[in-house]
């Protein structure tokens, strides 16, 4: 298999996953698409040899998260924040709202929660990908879940209050 076929296969195999990760991190579909394109351009330019599919997947996730961090730093430096809604995700309303709540969390929690719960990675795998210890990943998962639960609870309480007030209860 030549390099262009291998890269095409990688795009088909990992493109959607990388897009979801970038979308959660960047909160903007256009930026997420740009980040994913940059990741595959880097793969095309470097054409690294991987030990396994998992090694390739981990490399792509690492490059994608680094690209997203670079883009976020650029936004902060040049004040180009754009809070585009997540209408581009084809999911049910509850899943879409959960992803929206995820995007409101700090980046370090967003990333580990997305990798663990949406992409299905184990703690040790996430630790290796982001260059942290397994205990640090567990702590981020725990704190991230607590923050997510707090946000979800606040939204639910506000929704119940508005609904009760509207219905005259």
């Amino acid at each position: 298999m030549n390099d262009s076929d291998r890269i095409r296969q990688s795009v088909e195999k990992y493109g959607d996953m990388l897009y979801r990760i970038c979308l959660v991190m960047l909160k903007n579909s256009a930026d997420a698409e740009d980040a994913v394109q940059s990741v595959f351009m880097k793969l095309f330019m470097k054409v690294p040899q991987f030990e396994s599919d998992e090694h390739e997947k981990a490399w792509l996730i690492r490059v994608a998260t680094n690209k997203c961090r670079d883009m976020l730093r650029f936004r902060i430096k040049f004040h180009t924040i754009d809070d585009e809604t997540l209408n581009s995700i084809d999911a049910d309303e509850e899943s879409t709202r959960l992803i929206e709540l995820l995007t409101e969390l700090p980046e370090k929690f967003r990333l580990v929660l997305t990798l663990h719960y949406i992409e299905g990675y184990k703690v040790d795998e996430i630790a290796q990908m982001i260059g942290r210890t397994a205990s640090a990943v567990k702590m981020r998962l725990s704190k991230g879940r607590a923050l997510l639960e707090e946000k979800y609870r606040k939204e639910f309480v506000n929704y119940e209050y508005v609904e009760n007030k509207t219905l005259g209860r």
Side-chain angles (χ1 to χ4, degrees):
M1 177 183 314
N2 65 30
D3 289 339
S4 63
D5 288 339
R6 191 177 67 124
I7 291 168
R8 185 176 297 114
Q9 186 179 34
S10 295
V11 170
E12 291 171 4
K13 191 173 185 179
Y14 303 116
D16 289 340
M17 175 200 59
L18 293 174
Y19 175 76
R20 286 189 302 271
I21 291 169
C22 292
L23 183 61
V24 168
M25 288 185 71
L26 296 170
K27 305 177 194 179
N28 180 302
S29 63
D31 286 347
E33 289 170 3
D34 289 346
V36 172
Q37 183 177 6
S38 293
V39 169
F40 286 116
M41 285 302 298
K42 188 167 189 171
L43 179 66
F44 179 75
M45 299 302 279
K46 291 193 177 247
V47 193
Q49 297 301 314
F50 299 106
E51 298 167 9
S52 65
D53 286 348
E54 285 303 310
H55 182 234
E56 178 182 21
K57 189 175 184 181
W59 185 88
L60 290 167
I61 289 171
R62 172 71 95 168
V63 172
T65 56
N66 287 342
K67 179 63 179 171
C68 290
R69 285 187 186 119
D70 290 345
M71 292 172 80
L72 290 169
R73 279 192 289 272
F74 180 85
R75 278 187 196 169
I76 291 168
K77 185 175 180 180
F78 294 101
H79 306 290
T80 60
I81 298 171
D82 179 15
D83 291 329
E84 179 182 315
T85 58
L86 299 176
N87 293 333
S88 62
I89 296 178
D90 185 26
D92 62 2
E93 187 176 318
E94 187 174 325
S95 295
T96 301
R97 185 61 196 139
L98 183 59
I99 290 173
E100 288 173 355
L101 289 172
L102 254 176
T103 64
E104 296 171 11
L105 296 178
E107 186 264 330
K108 67 182 183 180
F109 301 120
R110 262 194 329 256
L111 178 60
V112 295
L113 287 168
T114 301
L115 289 172
H116 188 67
Y117 291 109
I118 296 176
E119 299 303 329
Y121 282 99
K122 295 178 182 166
V123 170
D124 294 337
E125 294 170 324
I126 296 169
Q128 185 179 13
M129 284 179 214
I130 67 171
R132 301 282 186 223
T133 64
S135 62
V137 171
K138 287 177 187 176
M139 185 61 69
R140 287 181 183 187
L141 283 170
S142 176
K143 287 181 180 180
R145 282 190 298 263
L147 288 170
L148 197 58
E149 181 180 3
E150 181 181 323
K151 285 186 176 295
Y152 195 76
R153 223 174 255 186
K154 281 181 183 176
E155 181 175 296
F156 182 74
V157 168
N158 288 339
Y159 174 77
E160 287 291 315
Y161 174 77
V162 169
E163 186 178 85
N164 288 338
K165 193 168 187 163
T166 305
L167 296 174
R169 293 183 192 164

